[in-house]
Amino acid sequence: MNERPNLNQAGFGNLAPAPKGLLARGDTSGRIRVVGRSVSVFYGEKQALIDVNIDILDKSVTAFIGPSGCGKSTFLRCLNRMNDFIDAARVTGSVEIDGVNIYDPEIDPVQLRARVGMVFQKPNPFPKSIYDNVAYGPRIHGLARTKSDMDEIVITSLEKAGLYKEVKDRILEAGTGLSGGQQQRLCIARAIAVNPEVILMDEPCSALDPIATARIEELIDELRQNFCIVIVTHSMQQAARVSQRTAFFHLGTLVEEGETSEIFTNPRQSRTQDYITGRFG
Amino acid sequence: MPTEHIVSAFEDELKALDTKIAQMGGLAEQLLGRAIDSLENRDPGLAEATIRQDEQIDRLEREVEELAISMIARRQPMAVDLRQIMTAVRVAGDLERVGDLGKNIAKRAMAIAAENRPKNLMIGIRHIGNKSLEQLTDVLNAYSQRDSEKALQVWRRDEELDAIYNSVFRELLTYMMEDPRNIGLCTHLLFGAKNLERIGDHATNIAEMIHFLVKGTPVTERRPKGDTTSFVMPESSTA
């Protein structure tokens, strides 16, 4: 403390460009997987999303944060064309995944959603067995030729979702009989069973207790090795814990996007600062 | 800070943290002023009172730490709030050291209270004391005003303090070489001067933290350093 000040040794200055691994583990130098350009969404007359431009990196977690109604879930839903289900919704601009515009008329939304999986806020397993929940996607997409292929996919997916050990003795029992946290991991197993490239998560932990939340967060960190993950969360601490990059949305616009460590220690925009510090007036 | 927190208790705690730092700063300034006076005026009574004052600074440092830890645990501060809390802890640590160094000067003042002091020697001590006190005052003002430019001015001025220390160092060395009976007195004065120079370093530490607090980035400039006494040998000082 009483040494002559030397910034490099003080360690304090390091907080600004936070050392990798302080707020979120791993490098963020993956290639760009998803590219959004001038994306706008209209619900009837009302414009819910205004001219969003963003590059989303592969093998990393990108968190979308912002107050309710800011457009973050709307944008998330653009990434696998879930807005198609809403009649009044109109999307303009382009979303490219691996260089292909997913709004191209040639693209089959069902095939797209196999490549871009989704996990919702409330765990929503099918009223079927644990096995069938996971096997459903591979079955309709014809990913398994034989029963043993399918067994393999189901077990691997459950293992990847960190659920296999807990359910292996009751794999034919109903998925709805599991606890909330287990159900959510089952939904994640179901999403990864079709071998997607991108996984979207819309507040995946908001219905879970802290322990189940921690398990999901640990799982997200493991899945990041192989997938491009986008998570919408209302918990800023969760965004800070699990993501490598963070995007802040407000009133339908993307205000700021950058490295998570930077966003939470030294955001560039005052609106971001006001929101993450709880000063939104 | 632009707007207030939605949670007013959080806002109150951040203000309380600043108030404690302001109190610590005020006490440290007062303690240092008294320590220098007691050294210059051979006032053991004042020196004793000064030594006791350090306890208050230590107590405030503990309070700052406790409040900061509790805020981090309960409120998960982000961005500028996180920086403010980290800065407060670091500044409190520096001010606590300033208090210790000031106390040490007061102790030396008591030790040499009975000795005769050459007048021009004391001019040098007073000079470095004033400069050190000025640096501390200015950096504390910069902190309370969140003025990173003012903080950087203090930071750059540390070189001047180093220069004064160099000349006091050489002067004391000369006295010691002239008459070995001066060694006891001069050693105490030398340590006193060194403490004052060190207090300047704590002021630059605080200045760097103010910059970090306001800008969110560390100071990238290289600070000019003027303390060359580590390389001085007695032979060369008489030349």
Side-chain angles (χ1 to χ4, degrees), chain B residues 31-75:
Chain B
L31 184 148
L32 182 57
R34 286 179 171 177
I36 297 166
D37 287 347
S38 68
L39 189 66
E40 196 185 8
N41 304 331
R42 289 205 264 176
D43 187 341
L46 182 62
E48 231 179 305
T50 307
I51 291 165
R52 278 198 304 274
Q53 202 176 359
D54 186 47
E55 277 170 33
Q56 283 173 279
I57 298 179
D58 291 354
R59 182 174 47 76
L60 275 166
E61 192 213 5
R62 282 194 299 276
E63 286 177 18
V64 167
E65 251 175 37
E66 280 165 19
L67 182 56
I69 289 170
S70 141
M71 286 172 78
I72 291 169
R74 290 178 298 114
R75 309 215 182 267

Side-chain angles (χ1 to χ4, degrees), chain A residues 92-138:
Chain A
T92 64
S94 74
V95 177
E96 289 184 1
I97 296 178
D98 295 336
V100 177
N101 185 2
I102 62 169
Y103 282 90
D104 190 298
E106 308 245 304
I107 295 282
D108 174 3
V110 177
Q111 290 298 327
L112 170 71
R113 287 179 204 127
R115 289 171 55 206
V116 185
M118 181 107 177
V119 177
F120 296 88
Q121 183 172 3
K122 207 165 158 276
N124 55 353
F126 303 132
K128 291 167 176 286
S129 71
I130 293 167
Y131 184 98
D132 284 336
N133 261 282
V134 182
Y136 184 82

Side-chain angles (χ1 to χ4, degrees), chain A residues 16-58:
Chain A
K20 303 233 187 288
L22 184 69
L23 289 172
R25 276 184 274 154
D27 71 303
T28 62
S29 56
R31 68 189 176 92
I32 296 165
R33 187 113 217 194
V34 182
V35 177
R37 286 291 174 267
S38 304
V39 181
S40 292
V41 177
F42 301 82
Y43 292 124
E45 290 296 298
K46 191 184 174 297
Q47 186 167 3
L49 202 64
I50 304 157
D51 201 30
V52 169
N53 292 289
I54 191 171
D55 294 342
I56 297 173
L57 298 180
D58 194 20

